[in-house]
Amino acid sequence: MIERESELAELTAAFAESATEGVRVVALQGVVGTGKTALIDEFGDRARGAGARLLRASGAPTECSLSLGIVRQLLAGEVFDRDTAVIVGGLLDHQLLADAASDGVSRSRVLDGLATAVLELAGQSSVVIAIDDTQYLDAFSQDWLIYLIRRAGLARILIVLGWRDDSEMSPSNSRLLCAGLYQQAYFRRLLLTPLSSSGVAELMTERLPESGATELAAKAHQLTGGNPLLLHALLEDSWAATGGDGPPAELDTGPELERAVQLVLRRCDPVTLRVAGAISVIGEPSRFALLGRLVGAEPDRVAVAMRVLAQIGLVEAGRMRHPIIAGAVLNTFSAADRSELRWRAADLLKACGADSLTIAEHFVASGRLDDPSAVPNLVEGAQQALEEGYPQRATELLRLAYQVDTDARRRVEILALLLRAEWRVDLGASVGRLSELTDAMLSGRLRGRHATMPIIIMSVQGRVADVCSVLSRLAADLPPDSQPSWEFEMMQMWLADMYPGIFRRAAGESRTNGTPIMPPGAIGYRLLEHFRSTHHQGATAERLVQADEALWQQPLTEINLLPVILALLTMVYAERLEEAERRCRGLMLTCLDLQAPTWHALFCAIAAEIALRRGSLSIAATRAVAALELIPVAELGVLAGVPLSTLVTAQTLQGKHDEAARTLALPVPDVMFETPFGLFYLLARGRHYVERGLAQVAIDDFQAVGDLLDRWGMAQTEALPWRTEMAAAHLQLGDREVAARYAREQLRRIGQDGHLRVRGRTLRLLAATRELRLRPPVLRDAVDVLHRSGDKFELASALVALHDAYTQLGEAGRARSAARKANSLRQAFFAEQPARRVGAPDVPEETEVDMLMLSGAERRVVKFAEKGLTNREIASRLYLTTSTIEQHLTRIYRKLGVSSRVQLLARLGPQPALPRPAHGEASASTPAGL
């Protein structure tokens, strides 16, 4: 009996005293489930073993009105000799008991006769009378007990009474019994409390003789509050979860715990049961002022019920100890009662000004969604969920609202909001809603801010004709001489960046009509213009920092997503790679917090481009593949050009030409080539063709880039160095003069400041157009520039070219120096030295494990796998199935380029902490309140 030794000692002492000094009474008090019955049974066995006569009975709610029901239990069976048994049977005759209810003589005869029979037993040996659940004692049995105690004197009788410690809710007769005994010298009161944390640990060690029992004890105590009934049920569930495969390594909740919770609740009075249900529904202690109104009880009565539930171990700090406990409590009620409780809670919370999401959750939980009056609450709750970073929940609420609502105009507005939520988590689902939304916009049923996201998604999917039609309709709906709304202005800016050849002029014209006031949530578009102009003007470091912070302090929302992406790309093209990666990492972590895999994929694609520009080819390919796994090419629309161009280039430079060819075989929309993303794709495809010996085909792609930039009025941009790639293509064709001309023109356009990566690569190609003796000075310049650029791949290529030039010139010392630098670079950056080849070295896999590419769930699995846990153990820790863990690991292996858990653990090693946004950046990537 863990933590019951002192109570057993008290009972043993009282038993000894009764044998020498006369009657003793011990009351065992405690809430339901604290082990009163087990303690009474244990002591009864010990007393019987010591030669005592044990008379045992238990009260019940159904028997509290039965006359002498408890006494009949005590004296039934083979307790007395034949003659006494006949007398006792006569005294318990139902007719006599009925007469005793109104006849004092009959009542006295019954009391005296039954007491005398017990006293005669005490004359033969010690007698222990043990009554469990005394709170259900009937009135006649109570009178008999009092009568017996008063007559007992020195008789060897010990009376053990077990009753629940909730006397406020006990029948009046048991309260009178307590009051009559408390002041007597022969009375002892023992209060049974739940097990302490050390008691739970002792029990766990006893039941789980494994080293992990100590670790599980704290969790078990937290979940059950030390209530032995709940604790044993939890252990039963945990053992059952192992399927007989040894002791449980983790706690598991199941049917036994739910049954135990319902058992303790059924032993509580109706008010306490209703309060337990209300607590499970309300959830937050700050709202418990509503409990009385929800259950229809006075505050003091609710306070009593709260105290009892806390003593039982179900409630801690005003809330259920665990959602599983709350679920078990609610399952105690009928479906109709649960529905009514949820609906009333929603109404009360709404009247008290609770947040919209909480109200919506209660309406959903009620199951009464056929009522259109719930629709506004569902929509408001979804909007809050979206703002707080729960798009999946917002999607669920909006789908319900869309199904229930009967108003046609409001339904399309709900559908537009649903599109906004879905594209964070399921771009494919959002695309499927565009047709209906397009019809609604063209018919004038959807306009203003509701039209913003549909147009953005339409532009991503390349539905340019539909976008033009919708914009024309929106413009036609504007009153004469009025300026466009900020939504209209923002969409023009978005489209001008996405499709410069189609929408750039329209965007410029719209701004001549006045400057609309942009709300704070969309100011990122204005800040983006200042940000880009500052970077393009070659501003001072101080000006750059100011421009950056103003932009990054904007929250990451659907509206500000594009400005943030374009700002990141601006930094990448300006070769501010360290800062771009730091910002990108912070934004990717924010996307995990916001549960936005679509956005995570977009930033993952940018992270891939950053890795490519640093020469980290394997990481670039891994990140690009991860982005394409999060969103398939078919769903990415024109944005597919970003990860595809990076992936093709990385595969090409790694010498994986067949893989690059398979990547290029993925279908992309034709309209993608009306966007800058398509131009990057053309450059990557052309570079692949050059490496495959198809330079003439590549020239067509490179020239197309130049022609499109010229047609779009963007010929001055240096983000797309197509002339450098032209130089590489003509070099392969043996036309050095043309190659040199393209290289010199590229160098002239980018100047001496910035664009170090492009300048270094162009210098290396320019050197190849010159006579052998003239190459080293140009290559040395290329090495110096590329060293400053941070592109390890291009730097290694330049060093190899320099080594080859020195070798052919017979300058062995300088050749060895260049080789040492190249080898040192490879050893510092790569797992092994690459195989040499002319032009550019093959690059092996990097040793770095890129955890950024994993989702939040995958990173949690890796964390436990790193500790050596089995798949089943990880599943238990994360409350998932083993097959789900196996699916996660399969995706993890693919993303990290390993084929087994052994390789995964070998590559993990100590991982650097992923940086969170620095001070002042949090608001730029995380909505307030998160």
Side-chain angles (χ1 to χ4, degrees):
M1 296 296 289
I2 296 173
E3 291 193 340
R4 296 293 182 257
E5 293 82 0
S6 62
E7 288 82 0
L8 280 171
E10 287 282 352
L11 288 169
T12 302
F15 178 67
E17 291 173 9
S18 70
T20 58
E21 301 177 28
V23 67
R24 291 292 183 270
V25 180
V26 179
L28 301 177
Q29 290 184 253
V31 294
V32 61
T34 48
K36 298 182 298 298
T37 302
L39 181 58
I40 289 173
D41 289 342
E42 175 68 19
F43 174 71
D45 290 342
R46 294 188 182 189
R48 191 186 289 114
R53 183 68 63 88
L54 178 65
L55 308 181
R56 186 77 164 82
S58 295
T62 56
E63 296 186 11
C64 60
S65 60
L66 298 179
S67 184
L68 277 187
I70 290 293
V71 176
R72 191 181 298 276
Q73 287 186 55
L74 290 172
L75 304 184
E78 299 178 1
V79 176
F80 304 102
D81 57 43
R82 181 176 301 176
D83 294 337
T84 305
V86 172
I87 295 172
V88 169
L91 292 172
L92 293 175
D93 178 72
H94 291 290
Q95 184 59 53
L96 179 59
L97 295 180
D99 294 340
S102 57
D103 179 27
V105 175
S106 298
R107 188 177 186 83
S108 177
R109 176 186 169 195
V110 171
L111 292 175
D112 183 69
L114 296 178
T116 298
V118 173
L119 292 173
E120 288 177 355
L121 283 179
Q124 302 167 17
S125 64
S126 295
V127 174
V128 174
I129 298 175
I131 304 174
D132 199 7
D133 281 331
T134 313
Q135 70 273 8
Y136 298 120
L137 192 70
D138 62 276
F140 207 165
S141 292
Q142 172 200 269
D143 292 344
W144 179 81
L145 273 177
I146 294 174
Y147 186 86
L148 174 64
I149 292 169
R150 288 175 177 172
R151 283 195 56 192
L154 296 177
R156 295 176 292 175
I157 298 176
L158 171 62
I159 300 175
V160 180
L161 306 174
W163 70 63
R164 291 213 307 266
D165 191 25
D166 51 3
S167 58
E168 295 90 345
M169 287 162 284
S170 298
S172 59
N173 50 310
S174 66
R175 292 201 297 270
L176 290 172
L177 177 61
C178 291
L181 296 176
Y182 274 162
Q183 304 301 319
Q184 304 301 321
Y186 52 72
F187 179 77
R188 279 189 177 92
R189 178 172 176 265
L190 304 179
L191 182 61
L192 298 187
T193 60
L195 299 180
S196 66
S197 55
S198 58
V200 172
E202 183 179 351
L203 176 63
M204 297 286 285
T205 303
E206 184 179 285
R207 290 287 306 275
L208 304 175
E210 300 288 333
S211 59
T214 303
E215 297 180 8
L216 299 180
K219 297 180 183 178
H221 186 268
Q222 175 62 32
L223 186 62
T224 65
N227 185 301
L229 180 63
L230 302 180
L231 183 59
H232 283 289
L234 178 64
L235 289 175
E236 289 299 322
D237 284 331
S238 301
W239 275 99
T242 67
D245 186 21
E250 188 58 68
L251 296 178
D252 204 318
T253 58
E256 290 302 323
L257 181 61
E258 181 162 336
R259 278 193 285 269
V261 170
Q262 294 174 358
L263 176 62
V264 299
L265 287 176
R266 290 191 187 100
R267 293 180 180 177
C268 295
D269 68 283
V271 174
T272 301
L273 176 58
R274 292 203 304 273
V275 170
I279 294 173
S280 300
V281 166
I282 296 295
E284 291 296 329
S286 60
R287 298 190 177 116
F288 285 158
L290 302 177
L291 287 179
R293 296 165 61 185
L294 192 55
V295 302
E298 295 297 321
D300 57 343
R301 184 64 185 82
V302 172
V304 170
M306 288 279 290
R307 184 171 68 250
V308 170
L309 293 170
Q311 291 171 345
I312 291 173
L314 297 178
V315 171
E316 181 185 37
R319 69 175 71 192
M320 289 294 162
R321 285 183 171 269
H322 193 278
I324 291 174
I325 299 290
V329 170
L330 290 176
N331 286 339
T332 306
F333 296 82
S334 67
D337 287 342
R338 287 197 302 270
S339 175
E340 180 64 23
L341 191 61
R342 290 285 194 182
W343 189 270
R344 290 184 59 206
D347 278 341
L348 285 171
L349 289 168
K350 187 174 182 179
C352 295
D355 64 281
S356 301
L357 181 56
T358 299
I359 296 169
E361 296 285 10
H362 285 299
F363 275 119
V364 172
S366 73
R368 292 161 58 175
L369 295 176
D370 53 346
D371 188 344
S373 66
V375 170
N377 297 289
L378 296 176
V379 173
E380 291 171 8
Q383 290 173 322
Q384 180 184 337
L386 203 55
E387 291 167 1
E388 294 182 356
Y390 302 105
Q392 189 64 52
R393 191 58 184 137
T395 298
E396 294 166 357
L397 292 173
L398 289 168
R399 286 173 180 169
L400 288 171
Y402 183 74
Q403 293 170 7
V404 175
D405 205 351
T406 56
D407 182 89
R409 180 176 291 276
R410 195 165 57 186
R411 274 171 62 87
V412 295
E413 292 178 356
I414 292 173
L415 196 63
L417 187 58
L418 178 57
L419 180 83
R420 178 184 164 201
E422 279 182 334
W423 96 291
R424 287 196 194 185
V425 294
D426 187 356
L427 188 56
S430 65
V431 170
R433 306 191 186 279
L434 288 178
S435 296
E436 183 176 351
L437 289 169
T438 301
D439 291 342
M441 289 184 288
L442 291 175
S443 65
R445 291 179 291 123
L446 189 71
R447 62 184 66 184
R449 61 186 178 86
H450 298 294
T452 303
M453 281 310 302
I455 293 176
I456 289 174
I457 302 298
M458 288 163 62
S459 67
V460 168
Q461 293 303 310
R463 302 189 181 191
V464 178
D466 287 340
V467 171
C468 291
S469 299
V470 168
L471 288 177
S472 297
R473 174 58 195 256
L474 293 176
D477 286 343
L478 287 174
D481 301 323
S482 65
Q483 65 180 28
S485 67
W486 72 265
E487 291 98 342
F488 194 87
E489 172 80 1
M490 182 196 66
M491 286 185 293
Q492 294 282 33
M493 295 171 67
W494 168 286
L495 293 169
D497 283 308
M498 289 280 285
Y499 297 93
I502 299 174
F503 294 103
R504 176 161 292 213
R505 178 178 297 177
E509 291 173 352
S510 73
R511 292 170 190 163
T512 65
N513 296 329
T515 303
I517 298 175
M518 280 196 172
I523 198 66
Y525 279 84
R526 290 293 187 215
L527 293 174
L528 176 64
E529 292 183 320
H530 295 289
F531 176 89
R532 291 198 293 199
S533 65
T534 302
H535 279 69
H536 293 159
Q537 291 166 4
T540 63
E542 183 179 355
R543 281 282 313 278
L544 288 173
V545 169
Q546 292 173 350
D548 285 4
E549 292 307 319
L551 179 67
W552 301 122
Q553 287 170 7
Q554 297 301 300
L556 187 60
T557 65
E558 293 85 355
I559 304 303
N560 281 332
L561 178 65
L562 184 66
V564 169
I565 288 176
L566 295 177
L568 273 177
L569 292 175
T570 300
M571 296 174 72
V572 172
Y573 302 149
E575 298 182 349
R576 296 171 60 192
L577 298 182
E578 265 190 51
E579 185 177 356
E581 179 147 33
R582 178 170 64 85
R583 298 288 187 184
C584 196
R585 282 174 176 255
L587 289 163
M588 291 174 74
L589 291 171
T590 297
C591 291
L592 293 176
D593 292 339
L594 295 177
Q595 302 178 33
T598 299
W599 299 359
H600 187 273
L602 298 177
F603 290 119
C604 188
I606 296 175
E609 180 64 21
I610 294 171
L612 179 65
R613 288 169 179 260
R614 284 182 158 177
S616 303
L617 305 184
S618 178
I619 292 178
T622 298
R623 290 177 176 177
V625 168
L628 294 171
E629 285 184 344
L630 285 168
I631 311 179
V633 171
E635 295 178 10
L636 267 174
V638 299
L639 296 179
V642 179
L644 285 177
S645 61
T646 302
L647 181 58
V648 168
T649 302
Q651 291 169 334
T652 297
L653 298 183
Q654 287 177 303
K656 299 177 180 179
H657 300 307
D658 291 341
E659 291 184 17
R662 285 193 291 271
T663 301
L664 287 170
L666 295 172
V668 295
D670 292 341
V671 74
M672 184 181 79
F673 300 103
E674 293 289 344
T675 72
F677 313 123
L679 303 194
F680 282 104
Y681 182 89
L682 288 175
L683 287 182
R685 188 173 71 181
R687 194 163 184 180
H688 168 72
Y689 287 151
V690 170
E691 292 295 322
R692 295 299 295 267
L694 302 171
Q696 193 61 58
V697 179
I699 287 174
D700 292 339
D701 278 347
F702 300 147
Q703 189 60 57
V705 173
D707 293 344
L708 285 169
L709 288 175
D710 187 59
R711 178 154 46 107
W712 296 348
M714 299 172 63
Q716 299 305 314
T717 182
E718 304 306 332
L720 290 142
W722 63 274
R723 293 178 181 84
T724 298
E725 303 309 326
M726 274 289 205
H730 283 284
L731 265 177
Q732 189 188 82
L733 292 173
D735 195 344
R736 292 188 177 186
E737 183 179 346
V738 175
R741 187 170 68 249
Y742 276 112
R744 286 194 297 269
E745 178 62 15
Q746 183 71 64
L747 291 172
R748 185 188 69 78
R749 286 177 173 271
I750 62 177
Q752 295 298 315
D753 298 325
H755 303 289
L756 299 178
R757 176 174 175 269
V758 174
R759 187 145 55 92
R761 171 169 161 73
T762 307
L763 284 171
R764 176 171 68 81
L765 294 172
L766 180 61
T769 68
R770 298 190 173 182
E771 295 180 22
L772 179 62
R773 63 184 180 80
L774 299 177
R775 292 178 189 174
V778 180
L779 288 172
R780 285 196 296 270
D781 287 344
V783 167
D784 178 64
V785 169
L786 289 168
H787 179 77
R788 288 184 284 135
S789 77
D791 188 331
K792 301 297 190 295
F793 177 85
E794 289 295 344
L795 177 56
S797 299
L799 285 168
V800 168
L802 185 59
H803 167 269
D804 290 346
Y806 281 139
T807 300
Q808 293 178 50
L809 290 170
E811 300 184 30
R814 289 184 173 182
R816 284 194 298 270
S817 176
R820 281 196 299 270
K821 291 177 181 178
N823 290 335
S824 175
L825 174 66
R826 293 165 183 159
Q827 291 170 2
F829 195 70
F830 303 123
E832 58 188 35
Q833 291 187 24
R836 278 279 317 277
R837 70 182 177 86
V838 177
D842 289 328
V843 179
E845 300 292 315
E846 289 88 347
T847 59
E848 177 184 347
V849 175
D850 198 1
M851 299 292 283
L852 272 177
M853 298 308 100
L854 305 182
S855 68
E858 290 166 348
R859 287 163 61 192
R860 287 191 290 274
V861 170
V862 169
K863 175 184 174 184
F864 286 118
E866 193 175 8
K867 294 180 179 179
L869 273 64
T870 65
N871 290 359
R872 185 179 63 78
E873 290 170 341
I874 298 173
S876 178
R877 295 283 181 93
L878 297 177
Y879 297 98
L880 298 171
T881 64
T882 304
S883 62
T884 300
I885 299 301
E886 291 170 352
Q887 293 169 16
H888 278 313
L889 284 171
T890 299
R891 287 193 292 269
I892 290 166
Y893 295 161
R894 185 168 60 249
K895 289 181 180 181
L896 300 186
V898 298
S899 58
S900 68
R901 182 182 285 238
V902 173
Q903 290 184 7
L904 173 66
L905 297 179
R907 288 194 61 193
L908 282 173
Q911 289 296 311
L914 294 176
R916 289 284 183 179
H919 181 68
E921 293 177 34
S923 61
S925 55
T926 307
L930 290 183

